[in-house]
Structure formats: structure tokens, C-alpha cells
Amino acid sequence: MGELVLTTYDWVPEFPRGYVRDLRARWALEEAGLPYRMAYTPFDNRPADMLAHQPFNQVPWLTDSGVNYFESGAIVLHIASKSDRLLPADPKARADAVSWLFAAVNSMEPAIMPWFILSLSPEKDSGAMSIFAGHLQQRLDRLEAVVASRDWLAGAFSAADIMTADALRLADRLGGLSAHPACKAYVDRATARPAFRKAHADQMAHFAAADGLRAG
Amino acid sequence: MGELVLTTYDWVPEFPRGYVRDLRARWALEEAGLPYRMAYTPFDNRPADMLAHQPFNQVPWLTDSGVNYFESGAIVLHIASKSDRLLPADPKARADAVSWLFAAVNSMEPAIMPWFILSLSPEKDSGAMSIFAGHLQQRLDRLEAVVASRDWLAGAFSAADIMTADALRLADRLGGLSAHPACKAYVDRATARPAFRKAHADQMAHFAAADGLRAG
């Protein structure tokens, strides 16, 4: 098996810690039990060759024996394809898991982000906010019915739950799940998994150690 | 080979015609040269069992020998996996294509949609609009450099170009590519392909015929 190397920033400010998207990849790697190593790229002065790995000048990216993946969805799907723990073998369940993984990145997260961004801005009580808050509530209403009826989106826990639960964590961070208790319980269920806890602790420890290096 | 059935609405109002997301799936199917048939679900009175195919009560969905896919990204990726015309065989190019496909749904389209929605709302000159317009410009700036240097995102034309170009069409519809001529030229290049033209004409013809049935 080739070497898996996951790259994230060498340091980030306090606010994004615990939410930088290498978390999703770490979580998937821990669930899959695949060996990997971390690599770091400067947050402050981003080298020009970073664009060859990630064309939007962001993190994370993953290399698998030198083959480069960017976008957390593509990275998690690739990790999932290497393990029977993150994608079901049954064709119907597998199609469901891949569909839900895309729902996380193209239906749920895009409904959460505008609401999240405006919640932290001077526009938090604006007319635009009511448009995006309404859209988010519609999406959460649909998801609520699903996760009230089953623990995981595609039957067994899958890569779709990593992507969905991590997107929902952002909404939860600002109280956005308060009217959707089944969504909140789903996030709590997902983040109680040992693989999430390890991934989260590892990210937090890395950035905390980076503070020490900066101060030194 | 199993039967591919793509489901869209029986009718939609004028404004979304030519942009309903079954277009992406039709386009991919035409590029791949795979036989398929269309099926239709009511736009006005959506049957309860629609949620079993599409949990957000939207279209499209695709069944392949009875296996159900929803989310345009999942559908197009599945179609692409059945053809050598939409995903390169070389591992590096293939990883690049899948990564760009996720970039379309999770980096480009989510930057376009808030801008598009506010552009059509009373909030079009708001502070929120300037936040989202700025974010869209940043994304387009990065994409501009890429599509100025090559015709297609992953070397040869791929599923990533279907998803990216169709997302950019929404921005282009409201003049959002005016400061990004290479992005505009990329959309023009993609939509000049016979497979896009066939897919677009088929969708437009279907909805036009549905008007006739309603009027009758």
C-alpha cells in the first residue's frame, strides 16, 4: 500500500481550530484504520507551489503514493474507497452513501455557510439573513425526518456521515440546530465516535503546539 | 447493461428552464453515449414516495437497474464511472477530475448561489450582497488562472467540466463572469459541445411540450 500524506496548515488562529477541514480526512483515516502521516504548509505566507496541490490556495490535500486529491469530499471519498468501513459493499446502500455524501457538500453545507457567515457579520439581522435562515430551516426539516428514523444516513455508518455531521457541527456551533433535536442528536452520536475524538484531539494538539513554536 | 432512468419534473415555470439539474445528468449521458430514458414526477403535487428517491423533495434522481442515485454530483459521477469518456484512466488525471468535480459542488457553486439568490432579491444592493459578491470574485479569480491555461480542468474533458461549467452558467446568466473572460470562454467552450446542446434542447422541448399539455 502506498503512503498516505495529509497536508494542513502549520498554524491557524483560534476560531477555526477544531473545524479546519483536514479534520474530515483525519476522521475518515481513523475510522478506516489506515496508516497516514501529516504534513504542514504555511498559513501566513503560502508558497506558490501550493496551487498545484489545491487550486483555491486552501487546505487540506491528500497524496496517495504521489497521486494528489483536493476538496474534503474528494479526499474522504478516496479514503472511503480504500476501506470496507466507510462505504457499504451492497450496491443500493453504496449508492445511497455516495448520494448522501454529495448531499452533505452540495445541499447541506451550502445551506449552512451563508447563514453561518452572516451570523458572524454586521448583517446578522438583515433581510438577506432571513432568506438564508429560511433556506437552512427547510433543509434541516428534511434531514430531521431522516435522522429521527435511523442512526446513520446509509444504514451503517459511512463516509456520508463524516461529511454531513461535520457540516452540521458548524450550524451547531452557533445554535443553528436548536429547533432540530434529531439533527443535534445525530451530531452528538457522530462526534462521540472514538475516531472523531482522536481526529479532533490531534488537530487541536497540532495547532496548540504551533502556538508554542510561534511564541518561542 | 442495466436500464438507466433519469427522473425530472413533469413541468416547471419559465425561469428555471434550461437550468433544472437533470440537465447535468442528460449532458453526462449524452457525452458517454449511454442509452437512457426519461421519467417524470409532478412539480405541483409532489407524491410522498418522492422522498424515497430524493430526500430533499427535489429532482433529479437516476436509477441504474433499480439502484437509486440522487444529487447531481453523485449522478454525474456514477454515469462517469460507466464510461471512459468522462473520467481519465490515468490515476493522477482521474484524481484531478474527481477533485475538480467536488470543487464544482462544494467550492464554486456554493460561492455562486448566495450571489445569484440575492441578485434576484430586494437585498441585491445590501451589505450581505457585498460579502457574497466578494467571495465569488475570489473563487472566480482562482478559476480564471486555471481555465486561462488549459481548455479543460483535468486535461481532457471530464465530468468535472460538466459540473463546473453548469454551475458557472448560473453566474453567467446574471452577468457574473464579466470580469473573468477566461471563465466566460470556458463556459462557451463547454456549452458548444454537441452533448450539451442536445441535453439542453431536450430539456427545453420537454418543458415546452408540458405547457401544451397544461393549456389543453
Side-chain angles (χ1 to χ4, degrees):
Chain A
M1 181 177 298
E3 189 189 30
L4 291 165
V5 183
L6 178 64
T7 300
T8 188
Y9 290 123
D10 62 344
W11 173 91
V12 296
E14 285 283 334
F15 187 72
R17 292 182 192 186
Y19 297 87
V20 181
R21 291 181 176 198
D22 64 87
L23 183 71
R24 298 166 175 189
R26 290 178 189 261
W27 186 1
L29 289 159
E30 295 292 340
E31 293 278 359
L34 293 168
Y36 64 101
R37 71 175 174 84
M38 297 298 301
Y40 305 102
T41 191
F43 175 81
D44 285 326
N45 296 301
R46 300 183 192 185
D49 68 357
M50 184 172 165
L51 289 171
H53 290 284
Q54 216 293 350
F56 299 102
N57 224 29
Q58 298 177 317
V59 297
W61 64 84
L62 177 82
T63 59
D64 181 355
S65 307
V67 176
N68 186 75
Y69 294 83
F70 61 94
E71 289 279 331
S72 61
I75 293 169
V76 167
L77 183 61
H78 177 66
I79 294 166
S81 75
K82 299 171 76 83
S83 164
D84 58 5
R85 301 185 199 172
L86 289 173
L87 279 180
D90 171 70
K92 286 192 181 184
R94 195 178 186 94
D96 212 33
V98 174
S99 297
W100 275 109
L101 186 151
F102 275 95
V105 296
N106 201 220
S107 288
M108 292 308 308
E109 192 166 81
I112 293 165
M113 288 306 297
W115 170 88
F116 185 85
I117 290 165
L118 292 187
S119 292
L120 297 174
S121 84
E123 304 298 318
K124 67 181 189 299
D125 301 311
S126 64
M129 183 60 165
S130 61
I131 293 172
F132 294 117
H135 182 57
L136 176 56
Q137 295 306 302
Q138 284 183 344
R139 288 282 196 244
L140 290 173
D141 288 350
R142 294 292 175 191
L143 191 65
E144 184 79 0
V146 174
V147 294
S149 70
R150 55 186 192 258
D151 279 358
W152 307 116
L153 295 169
F157 182 85
S158 77
D161 297 298
I162 291 176
M163 298 302 292
T164 304
D166 193 53
L168 290 175
R169 287 177 66 233
L170 265 191
D172 190 37
R173 189 176 188 182
L174 302 182
L177 302 183
S178 56
H180 295 87
C183 289
K184 171 68 172 146
Y186 168 75
V187 171
D188 291 345
R189 201 151 64 231
T191 57
R193 295 175 69 86
F196 173 84
R197 295 166 72 102
K198 169 79 159 62
H200 187 266
D202 285 355
Q203 182 181 102
M204 296 302 281
H206 160 64
F207 290 131
D211 273 338
L213 293 172
R214 283 208 160 197
Chain B
M1 183 177 297
E3 190 189 29
L4 291 165
V5 183
L6 178 64
T7 300
T8 189
Y9 291 125
D10 61 345
W11 174 90
V12 297
E14 284 282 336
F15 188 72
R17 292 183 192 186
Y19 297 87
V20 181
R21 291 180 178 201
D22 63 89
L23 183 71
R24 299 168 176 188
R26 290 178 189 260
W27 185 2
L29 288 159
E30 296 292 340
E31 293 279 359
L34 293 168
Y36 65 100
R37 72 176 174 85
M38 297 299 301
Y40 303 102
T41 192
F43 175 81
D44 285 327
N45 297 300
R46 301 184 191 184
D49 68 356
M50 185 172 164
L51 289 171
H53 290 285
Q54 215 295 349
F56 299 102
N57 223 29
Q58 298 178 319
V59 298
W61 65 83
L62 177 82
T63 59
D64 181 355
S65 307
V67 176
N68 186 74
Y69 294 83
F70 61 94
E71 289 279 334
S72 61
I75 292 169
V76 167
L77 183 61
H78 177 66
I79 294 166
S81 74
K82 299 171 75 83
S83 165
D84 59 4
R85 298 185 200 173
L86 290 173
L87 280 180
D90 170 71
K92 287 192 180 184
R94 195 178 187 94
D96 212 32
V98 174
S99 298
W100 275 110
L101 187 151
F102 275 95
V105 297
N106 202 220
S107 288
M108 291 309 308
E109 192 166 80
I112 292 166
M113 287 308 296
W115 170 87
F116 186 84
I117 290 166
L118 293 187
S119 292
L120 297 173
S121 83
E123 305 298 319
K124 66 180 189 298
D125 300 312
S126 64
M129 182 60 165
S130 62
I131 293 173
F132 294 117
H135 183 56
L136 175 56
Q137 294 307 302
Q138 283 182 343
R139 288 282 196 243
L140 290 173
D141 287 350
R142 293 292 176 192
L143 191 65
E144 184 78 0
V146 174
V147 293
S149 71
R150 55 189 192 255
D151 278 357
W152 307 117
L153 295 169
F157 182 85
S158 77
D161 296 299
I162 292 177
M163 298 302 291
T164 304
D166 193 54
L168 289 176
R169 286 177 66 233
L170 266 191
D172 190 37
R173 189 177 187 181
L174 301 184
L177 303 183
S178 56
H180 295 87
C183 289
K184 170 68 172 147
Y186 169 74
V187 172
D188 292 346
R189 201 151 62 229
T191 58
R193 295 175 69 87
F196 173 85
R197 296 166 73 101
K198 170 79 160 61
H200 188 266
D202 286 354
Q203 180 180 102
M204 295 304 281
H206 160 64
F207 290 130
D211 273 339
L213 292 171
R214 283 207 158 197

